[in-house]
Amino acid sequence: AVTGALCTELSEKFKSHQVKSFTPFTEIQGSELIPGEETRLVSVGRLTKRKNQLELIKAYQKLSHPDVELVFIGAWDDDYKTICDAYIKDNQIKGIRFTGQLEKPWEAITSQDICIFTSQMETFGLVYVEALSHGIPSIVSDNPGHQSAYDILGFGQFYETGNVMQLTSLIADNLRDFDIEKQKSLSVLEKIRATYSVDNAYREVIQLLEVDFN
């Protein structure tokens, strides 16, 4: 089972069995981000109800920071995109852009960006890990998947899912102190990349395979 909350829950349900864990892993290219001229707020991932991006739109609305662009990178569920578009139109919110699906989304991220992930539920916070592995200051909801990733990497900024005012405040703090938050992210970059490796992610799986083949 996936490391963290899911593994813990399954261990409690199947007490007569030993549940082994693994960390979802994706190969992350270590290339430098393209230089950015302005700080942007960026969300990477499919636009869906579960990903909860409308919460970010509402926080952006309260932020009243028209000079800061909010960019959503990823494909979308049509029904949810319609809901988001209607909210933006009804509230006359400017500064939001949807790129649609990009083959290499992280190549569209700049050195001046802040990543924000608002999912209501995740098995594991993979895009959160990817953002930290690129040295990007990141704000995430406190769902169990994000918490599981934090337990491994030990770095991140959390807000309470559903608390739009708290999210707005945290975004405002990051915009004000961007240089400080960026330096914090870069200071742990080497450690995060070393921790998030194939060997560490599949350690228990590898050990089981070695036992079977010896």
Side-chain angles (χ1 to χ4, degrees), residues 108-184:
I109 307 294
T110 82
S111 60
Q112 293 295 111
D113 291 341
I114 299 169
C115 277
I116 306 171
F117 305 116
T118 54
S119 296
Q120 293 176 334
M121 178 56 65
E122 292 285 349
T123 303
F124 186 78
L126 193 55
V127 289
Y128 165 41
V129 174
E130 290 177 319
L132 295 185
S133 297
H134 283 88
I136 305 169
S138 302
I139 300 169
V140 298
S141 56
D142 62 350
N143 72 65
H146 288 153
Q147 293 282 1
S148 296
Y150 178 85
D151 290 343
I152 296 171
L153 301 178
F155 188 78
Q157 303 176 69
F158 286 83
Y159 80 96
E160 181 184 3
T161 306
N163 192 332
V164 175
M165 289 304 299
Q166 186 183 29
L167 175 57
T168 303
S169 178
L170 196 52
I171 294 172
D173 290 346
N174 273 256
L175 288 172
R176 183 190 64 233
D177 301 325
F178 177 80
D179 290 341
I180 295 173
E181 296 302 332
K182 182 66 176 184
Q183 187 56 45
K184 288 180 182 177

Side-chain angles (χ1 to χ4, degrees), residues 49-165:
K49 183 178 181 180
R50 182 174 66 84
K51 296 289 186 181
N52 194 32
Q53 289 97 335
L54 182 59
E55 187 157 281
L56 176 52
I57 293 172
K58 292 178 178 179
Y60 180 76
Q61 176 189 10
K62 294 182 179 298
L63 191 65
S64 297
H65 229 308
D67 56 314
V68 177
E69 187 180 29
L70 172 58
V71 183
F72 291 98
I73 299 176
W76 52 72
D77 290 353
D78 290 339
D79 290 346
Y80 193 67
K81 177 66 159 51
T82 298
I83 292 172
C84 292
D85 285 341
Y87 187 89
I88 293 168
K89 181 179 179 180
D90 291 345
N91 292 276
Q92 300 181 345
I93 306 172
K94 306 297 183 180
I96 298 178
R97 179 163 60 91
F98 299 89
T99 69
Q101 183 68 32
L102 298 180
E103 184 177 349
K104 297 181 179 180
W106 295 104
E107 291 186 359
I109 307 294
T110 82
S111 60
Q112 293 295 111
D113 291 341
I114 299 169
C115 277
I116 306 171
F117 305 116
T118 54
S119 296
Q120 293 176 334
M121 178 56 65
E122 292 285 349
T123 303
F124 186 78
L126 193 55
V127 289
Y128 165 41
V129 174
E130 290 177 319
L132 295 185
S133 297
H134 283 88
I136 305 169
S138 302
I139 300 169
V140 298
S141 56
D142 62 350
N143 72 65
H146 288 153
Q147 293 282 1
S148 296
Y150 178 85
D151 290 343
I152 296 171
L153 301 178
F155 188 78
Q157 303 176 69
F158 286 83
Y159 80 96
E160 181 184 3
T161 306
N163 192 332
V164 175
M165 289 304 299

Side-chain angles (χ1 to χ4, degrees), residues 162-208:
N163 192 332
V164 175
M165 289 304 299
Q166 186 183 29
L167 175 57
T168 303
S169 178
L170 196 52
I171 294 172
D173 290 346
N174 273 256
L175 288 172
R176 183 190 64 233
D177 301 325
F178 177 80
D179 290 341
I180 295 173
E181 296 302 332
K182 182 66 176 184
Q183 187 56 45
K184 288 180 182 177
S185 297
L186 293 175
S187 70
V188 298
L189 183 56
E190 185 176 341
K191 176 185 175 183
I192 285 174
R193 287 179 175 175
T195 301
Y196 188 66
S197 65
V198 172
D199 287 347
N200 289 333
Y202 296 110
R203 185 180 304 278
E204 291 193 15
V205 176
I206 293 170
Q207 288 173 348
L208 288 171

